[in-house]
Amino acid sequence: MLIDNHNRKINYLRLAVTDRCNLRCNYCMPAEGINFAKNDKLLTMEELKTLSEILVGQGIDKIRITGGEPFVRKDLMELLRHLAKLDGLKDISVTTNATLIGPYIDELKSMGIKNINVSLDAIHRETFERITRRNQYDTVHNNLIRLISEGFNVRINFIALDGQNTQDILPILELAKHYPVSVRFLEEMPFNGGSKTFQKIAWDYKRILDHIKSEHPDYYKLESPKTSTSINYKIPGHLGTFGVIPSFSRTFCGTCNRLRVSATGDVITCLYGKPSANLRNIMRGADSKNKVKEEVLKAVGSRAKTGFEAQEKYANVFSNSMTSIGG
């Protein structure tokens, strides 16, 4: 079992399989793109399998596969098949932009992988294409409806971007009216690939809730798991739910149960801090399994208590792209 230095049980791994993405969302990376990692710097398929086994052996019982866009990686299903057979792993989920998932939906369903998060920051085509810089609206919409229709547990992640998509906040809730999905509104975070400081945001979770209340004054709060990053709500008459994730306000740090490993092997204990270690070279050396365990224990044993504490150590400047640190 992994217990951090603040007595929090760490049982949830976000495992990135690639830093590449087929979209170019303007909040995730700069317009000119980023320098993606070369293939020899990425964890290989066998290394991803082995690392998953090690961490499940240490007490991880939930793994979320992320990217970049995970389905950009051609051998992704090989990893998912392996994970589906791991004893002790209770939950496998995937975060995707839903552009490439279509051919794999049937197999995902047959393996029992039903928890899919879809990153979707617009419900209107024009807004979608402006943010993503790509013409993929129909593909995403069709795959989203198919996932819902096939019985997947679909959560839509919508980042509230001032001056870009807040006009879509109320319209996207129509999905939760007609379908049993959860629409979650995230605060913007300072990871767009450019070096800058972030002091405040225009659309924090309180403003998002006030905006929704203007149209739906009778929504009510739901019970959420202790470790949930989302504060969840229900609008009477809606099949689905909605939530807010205070990713910049960081109200959920006290119950954080997460560990991240980037596609290049960086161990990240908080998005607002620097990587604690890199496992790639360790896994390519002698006695790798025991050394990986030691590094993970060391990272978990020296976590920042909150994202604000981690940010102070990071000198309040963010130069990473979201696609390079696990989505």
Side-chain angles (χ1 to χ4, degrees):
M1 184 180 296
L2 294 171
I3 304 292
D4 76 4
N5 48 317
H6 306 288
N7 203 35
R8 296 175 294 204
K9 179 181 176 182
I10 310 302
N11 68 322
Y12 178 8
L13 171 67
R14 292 180 61 100
L15 180 62
V17 296
T18 182
D19 63 342
R20 297 176 184 272
C21 187
N22 57 327
L23 301 183
R24 290 292 180 269
C25 297
N26 58 27
Y27 62 84
C28 185
M29 64 178 84
E32 65 273 18
I34 65 169
N35 293 321
F36 294 112
K38 295 181 179 179
N39 285 341
D40 64 338
K41 300 297 184 183
L42 297 175
L43 293 174
T44 67
M45 181 50 56
E46 290 307 312
E47 288 166 348
L48 288 167
K49 290 178 183 177
T50 300
L51 180 59
S52 299
E53 292 172 4
I54 293 170
L55 290 169
V56 169
Q58 288 184 291
I60 294 293
D61 60 21
K62 176 178 180 178
I63 294 180
R64 174 172 295 282
I65 299 300
T66 69
E69 166 49 41
F71 287 96
V72 166
R73 185 147 181 168
K74 304 300 184 184
D75 52 3
L76 175 63
M77 295 305 291
E78 182 182 342
L79 174 62
L80 293 176
R81 292 182 201 111
H82 182 77
L83 294 180
K85 297 175 183 177
L86 276 187
D87 289 336
L89 187 56
K90 300 175 183 177
D91 185 353
I92 306 165
S93 49
V94 180
T95 293
T96 176
N97 61 31
T99 57
L100 303 171
I101 195 172
Y104 308 105
I105 289 176
D106 288 341
E107 186 175 1
L108 289 169
K109 189 174 181 180
S110 70
M111 286 192 292
I113 298 175
K114 302 292 287 293
N115 294 326
I116 306 293
N117 283 14
V118 175
S119 300
L120 180 64
D121 304 303
I123 196 62
H124 293 117
R125 182 187 300 274
E126 180 184 348
T127 312
F128 176 90
E129 293 181 355
R130 184 174 64 251
I131 291 174
T132 64
R133 305 184 179 111
R134 292 294 185 270
N135 180 17
Q136 291 284 334
Y137 179 85
D138 289 335
T139 300
V140 170
H141 184 269
N142 291 340
N143 283 334
L144 174 64
I145 299 304
R146 185 178 167 201
L147 286 165
I148 296 168
S149 302
E150 293 280 346
F152 285 81
N153 175 28
V154 178
R155 295 190 294 193
I156 295 168
N157 288 341
F158 179 111
I159 300 176
L161 304 164
D162 186 42
Q164 294 199 67
N165 67 348
T166 53
Q167 72 279 3
D168 279 23
I169 289 175
L170 294 175
I172 204 169
L173 281 173
E174 289 295 302
L175 286 171
K177 179 178 181 179
H178 299 290
Y179 299 102
V181 299
S182 173
V183 180
R184 287 128 44 104
F185 299 99
L186 288 75
E187 295 176 339
E188 185 180 5
M189 297 175 71
F191 309 120
N192 71 341
S195 178
K196 66 175 182 177
T197 59
F198 236 54
Q199 300 299 331
K200 62 181 180 178
I201 54 175
W203 284 80
D204 65 9
Y205 74 101
K206 294 178 181 178
R207 183 176 179 185
I208 295 169
L209 287 174
D210 285 343
H211 184 62
I212 293 171
K213 183 169 283 188
S214 69
E215 184 77 17
H216 302 286
D218 51 353
Y219 73 72
Y220 57 92
K221 192 174 181 180
L222 299 171
E223 285 289 327
S224 299
K226 182 181 178 182
T227 56
S228 175
T229 58
S230 177
I231 309 167
N232 300 302
Y233 301 88
K234 179 85 170 178
I235 297 171
H238 282 209
L239 290 178
T241 62
F242 78 92
V244 289
I245 299 181
S247 40
F248 184 76
S249 299
R250 286 161 269 181
T251 62
F252 48 71
C253 291
T255 58
C256 181
N257 65 336
R258 300 175 176 211
L259 187 69
R260 290 173 180 259
V261 176
S262 75
T264 56
D266 283 338
V267 178
I268 301 169
T269 59
C270 178
L271 277 179
Y272 286 88
K274 292 182 178 179
S276 303
N278 184 277
L279 304 178
R280 182 188 63 243
N281 292 338
I282 295 174
M283 296 193 72
R284 295 174 184 177
D287 193 26
S288 59
K289 290 187 178 181
N290 286 326
K291 290 180 179 177
V292 165
K293 290 178 183 178
E294 291 172 6
E295 285 298 324
V296 170
L297 287 172
K298 190 185 301 182
V300 167
S302 58
R303 296 179 80 209
K305 188 172 185 179
T306 68
F308 296 102
E309 180 182 312
Q311 181 179 342
E312 287 179 10
K313 295 179 181 178
Y314 210 170
N316 205 41
V317 176
F318 306 96
S319 59
N320 288 325
S321 161
M322 184 62 83
T323 194
S324 70
I325 53 176

